[in-house]
Amino acid sequence: MMLSSEPDNTVIRPERNRQGWKRGLRRVLNFMRTLMKNPLTAIGVSIIGLLLVVAFFAPWLATHDPLVQDLGNALQAPGSQHWFGTDEFGRDQYSRLIYGARTTLYIVALVSVTVGPIGLLLGVVAGYFGGKVDSILMRITDIFISFPSLVLALAFVAALGPGLEHVVIAITLTAWPPIARLARAETLSLRNADFVSAVKLQGASPLRILLRHIVPLCLPSVIIRITMNMAGIILTAAGLGFLGLGAQPPDPEWGAMISSGRRYMMECWWLVTIPGLAILLNSLAFNFLGDGLRDILDPRTE
């Protein structure tokens, strides 16, 4: 019987997988350690982490059903029974604020997931191919940028109708142009680089060059821009909710809570102040996180 001198791949492969997981975990920990060195970034990450926890555990953190009305306890001041008071229908403001975090994260997550690929794709295609392709795509981008984002979002929601899904579509349609212009600028600086010329000589197709070489180099700038745009997404969503075009009653949403409480704000300050503080703190948190990511991911800041 002949013995094989080849190594057993069934043993080596799990070991390599474990080493890969360890390296990946070590990189994530080092990245988070570097990110948390900035005090403002650490505050931003903590607030966003708290928002995620609150949204995920809303059914356990809420003290009341956010939709149940109790007209006998309407406009109650903050106290032991209702920590943040009640609204004009006697609904617990604390519980509605907790569930409103879910609505805000839902909008921010969907817009960020959709607007990034759209803006990145259009930007790198325009920057790489240039010519008529660049002119057409950038003229379309200029048309969208020429209108204020809130006004354009209002127009789209008015055409589509109120609702959270329509708010996501409207904000996405107004948020992709800055990302496309950023990706185009990055691509223009990369398309004539030596490594791009080298892979062209090797016979690489334009699609392979874009996906394997240019898009990965544009991703850090795009991620930074999306993170810093999240504050604007929160404000736009709250503005649309304030106008009654976002989440429809009785669903809790921070902008809609401010809108319904503004009629009583002189006597019942908590109806407007507490949701407004939630919008302010989370907007600042995403700005702080964006600044921290820019310091780490953007080599031009070194």
Side-chain angles (χ1 to χ4, degrees), residues 106-123:
Y106 173 80
I107 295 173
V108 169
L110 279 185
V111 172
S112 300
V113 167
T114 54
V115 79
I118 292 173
L120 181 61
L121 174 64
L122 295 178

mmCIF file of all heavy atoms in Angstrom, residues 106-123:
data_model
loop_
_atom_site.group_PDB
_atom_site.id
_atom_site.type_symbol
_atom_site.label_atom_id
_atom_site.label_comp_id
_atom_site.label_asym_id
_atom_site.label_seq_id
_atom_site.Cartn_x
_atom_site.Cartn_y
_atom_site.Cartn_z
ATOM 1 N N TYR A 106 -35.959 52.846 9.848
ATOM 2 C CA TYR A 106 -36.481 52.209 8.632
ATOM 3 C C TYR A 106 -36.224 53.101 7.423
ATOM 4 O O TYR A 106 -35.735 52.644 6.377
ATOM 5 C CB TYR A 106 -37.971 51.947 8.819
ATOM 6 C CG TYR A 106 -38.693 51.452 7.582
ATOM 7 C CD1 TYR A 106 -38.624 50.117 7.197
ATOM 8 C CD2 TYR A 106 -39.461 52.317 6.809
ATOM 9 C CE1 TYR A 106 -39.296 49.662 6.072
ATOM 10 C CE2 TYR A 106 -40.126 51.871 5.681
ATOM 11 C CZ TYR A 106 -40.046 50.552 5.317
ATOM 12 O OH TYR A 106 -40.706 50.115 4.197
ATOM 13 N N ILE A 107 -36.519 54.391 7.565
ATOM 14 C CA ILE A 107 -36.319 55.330 6.451
ATOM 15 C C ILE A 107 -34.832 55.493 6.154
ATOM 16 O O ILE A 107 -34.406 55.427 4.992
ATOM 17 C CB ILE A 107 -36.973 56.682 6.775
ATOM 18 C CG1 ILE A 107 -38.494 56.524 6.890
ATOM 19 C CG2 ILE A 107 -36.630 57.720 5.707
ATOM 20 C CD1 ILE A 107 -39.204 57.780 7.365
ATOM 21 N N VAL A 108 -34.026 55.707 7.191
ATOM 22 C CA VAL A 108 -32.594 55.926 6.998
ATOM 23 C C VAL A 108 -31.939 54.709 6.352
ATOM 24 O O VAL A 108 -31.130 54.839 5.418
ATOM 25 C CB VAL A 108 -31.926 56.262 8.344
ATOM 26 C CG1 VAL A 108 -30.405 56.234 8.220
ATOM 27 C CG2 VAL A 108 -32.380 57.621 8.843
ATOM 28 N N ALA A 109 -32.282 53.516 6.828
ATOM 29 C CA ALA A 109 -31.656 52.296 6.292
ATOM 30 C C ALA A 109 -32.037 52.072 4.835
ATOM 31 O O ALA A 109 -31.164 51.810 3.991
ATOM 32 C CB ALA A 109 -32.065 51.097 7.141
ATOM 33 N N LEU A 110 -33.306 52.191 4.499
ATOM 34 C CA LEU A 110 -33.726 51.941 3.124
ATOM 35 C C LEU A 110 -33.152 52.977 2.165
ATOM 36 O O LEU A 110 -32.704 52.636 1.065
ATOM 37 C CB LEU A 110 -35.255 51.931 3.038
ATOM 38 C CG LEU A 110 -35.961 50.640 3.460
ATOM 39 C CD1 LEU A 110 -37.446 50.739 3.200
ATOM 40 C CD2 LEU A 110 -35.396 49.434 2.744
ATOM 41 N N VAL A 111 -33.160 54.239 2.570
ATOM 42 C CA VAL A 111 -32.611 55.279 1.694
ATOM 43 C C VAL A 111 -31.113 55.066 1.483
ATOM 44 O O VAL A 111 -30.606 55.167 0.361
ATOM 45 C CB VAL A 111 -32.885 56.678 2.272
ATOM 46 C CG1 VAL A 111 -32.147 57.744 1.476
ATOM 47 C CG2 VAL A 111 -34.383 56.972 2.252
ATOM 48 N N SER A 112 -30.383 54.753 2.546
ATOM 49 C CA SER A 112 -28.934 54.568 2.432
ATOM 50 C C SER A 112 -28.596 53.369 1.552
ATOM 51 O O SER A 112 -27.649 53.414 0.757
ATOM 52 C CB SER A 112 -28.320 54.380 3.827
ATOM 53 O OG SER A 112 -28.574 55.499 4.639
ATOM 54 N N VAL A 113 -29.371 52.282 1.688
ATOM 55 C CA VAL A 113 -29.103 51.078 0.906
ATOM 56 C C VAL A 113 -29.380 51.305 -0.579
ATOM 57 O O VAL A 113 -28.688 50.759 -1.449
ATOM 58 C CB VAL A 113 -29.943 49.901 1.446
ATOM 59 C CG1 VAL A 113 -29.936 48.728 0.482
ATOM 60 C CG2 VAL A 113 -29.402 49.456 2.789
ATOM 61 N N THR A 114 -30.378 52.122 -0.897
ATOM 62 C CA THR A 114 -30.735 52.335 -2.302
ATOM 63 C C THR A 114 -29.954 53.474 -2.942
ATOM 64 O O THR A 114 -29.572 53.373 -4.114
ATOM 65 C CB THR A 114 -32.241 52.620 -2.426
ATOM 66 O OG1 THR A 114 -32.600 53.711 -1.555
ATOM 67 C CG2 THR A 114 -33.054 51.409 -2.045
ATOM 68 N N VAL A 115 -29.693 54.530 -2.190
ATOM 69 C CA VAL A 115 -29.085 55.706 -2.807
ATOM 70 C C VAL A 115 -27.594 55.492 -3.077
ATOM 71 O O VAL A 115 -27.047 56.048 -4.044
ATOM 72 C CB VAL A 115 -29.301 56.938 -1.905
ATOM 73 C CG1 VAL A 115 -28.323 56.962 -0.734
ATOM 74 C CG2 VAL A 115 -29.173 58.225 -2.696
ATOM 75 N N GLY A 116 -26.933 54.670 -2.268
ATOM 76 C CA GLY A 116 -25.508 54.433 -2.480
ATOM 77 C C GLY A 116 -25.207 53.753 -3.803
ATOM 78 O O GLY A 116 -24.422 54.272 -4.617
ATOM 79 N N PRO A 117 -25.788 52.582 -4.083
ATOM 80 C CA PRO A 117 -25.521 51.928 -5.372
ATOM 81 C C PRO A 117 -25.935 52.762 -6.578
ATOM 82 O O PRO A 117 -25.234 52.758 -7.598
ATOM 83 C CB PRO A 117 -26.342 50.631 -5.278
ATOM 84 C CG PRO A 117 -26.486 50.368 -3.828
ATOM 85 C CD PRO A 117 -26.575 51.715 -3.181
ATOM 86 N N ILE A 118 -27.074 53.479 -6.483
ATOM 87 C CA ILE A 118 -27.522 54.289 -7.625
ATOM 88 C C ILE A 118 -26.514 55.391 -7.924
ATOM 89 O O ILE A 118 -26.065 55.567 -9.065
ATOM 90 C CB ILE A 118 -28.912 54.875 -7.350
ATOM 91 C CG1 ILE A 118 -29.962 53.770 -7.305
ATOM 92 C CG2 ILE A 118 -29.283 55.899 -8.424
ATOM 93 C CD1 ILE A 118 -31.331 54.247 -6.881
ATOM 94 N N GLY A 119 -26.161 56.163 -6.908
ATOM 95 C CA GLY A 119 -25.214 57.258 -7.119
ATOM 96 C C GLY A 119 -23.843 56.770 -7.536
ATOM 97 O O GLY A 119 -23.205 57.351 -8.420
ATOM 98 N N LEU A 120 -23.370 55.678 -6.910
ATOM 99 C CA LEU A 120 -22.049 55.141 -7.255
ATOM 100 C C LEU A 120 -22.025 54.636 -8.686
ATOM 101 O O LEU A 120 -21.072 54.914 -9.436
ATOM 102 C CB LEU A 120 -21.694 54.022 -6.275
ATOM 103 C CG LEU A 120 -20.329 53.357 -6.455
ATOM 104 C CD1 LEU A 120 -19.209 54.362 -6.287
ATOM 105 C CD2 LEU A 120 -20.174 52.216 -5.453
ATOM 106 N N LEU A 121 -23.051 53.899 -9.097
ATOM 107 C CA LEU A 121 -23.096 53.357 -10.454
ATOM 108 C C LEU A 121 -23.105 54.460 -11.504
ATOM 109 O O LEU A 121 -22.300 54.444 -12.452
ATOM 110 C CB LEU A 121 -24.325 52.470 -10.607
ATOM 111 C CG LEU A 121 -24.602 51.928 -12.008
ATOM 112 C CD1 LEU A 121 -23.468 51.001 -12.447
ATOM 113 C CD2 LEU A 121 -25.934 51.201 -12.065
ATOM 114 N N LEU A 122 -23.987 55.432 -11.345
ATOM 115 C CA LEU A 122 -24.074 56.504 -12.331
ATOM 116 C C LEU A 122 -22.798 57.346 -12.349
ATOM 117 O O LEU A 122 -22.342 57.781 -13.415
ATOM 118 C CB LEU A 122 -25.282 57.387 -12.026
ATOM 119 C CG LEU A 122 -26.649 56.712 -12.164
ATOM 120 C CD1 LEU A 122 -27.761 57.679 -11.791
ATOM 121 C CD2 LEU A 122 -26.863 56.197 -13.578
ATOM 122 N N GLY A 123 -22.207 57.579 -11.181
ATOM 123 C CA GLY A 123 -21.003 58.406 -11.112
ATOM 124 C C GLY A 123 -19.801 57.761 -11.777
ATOM 125 O O GLY A 123 -19.086 58.407 -12.557
#
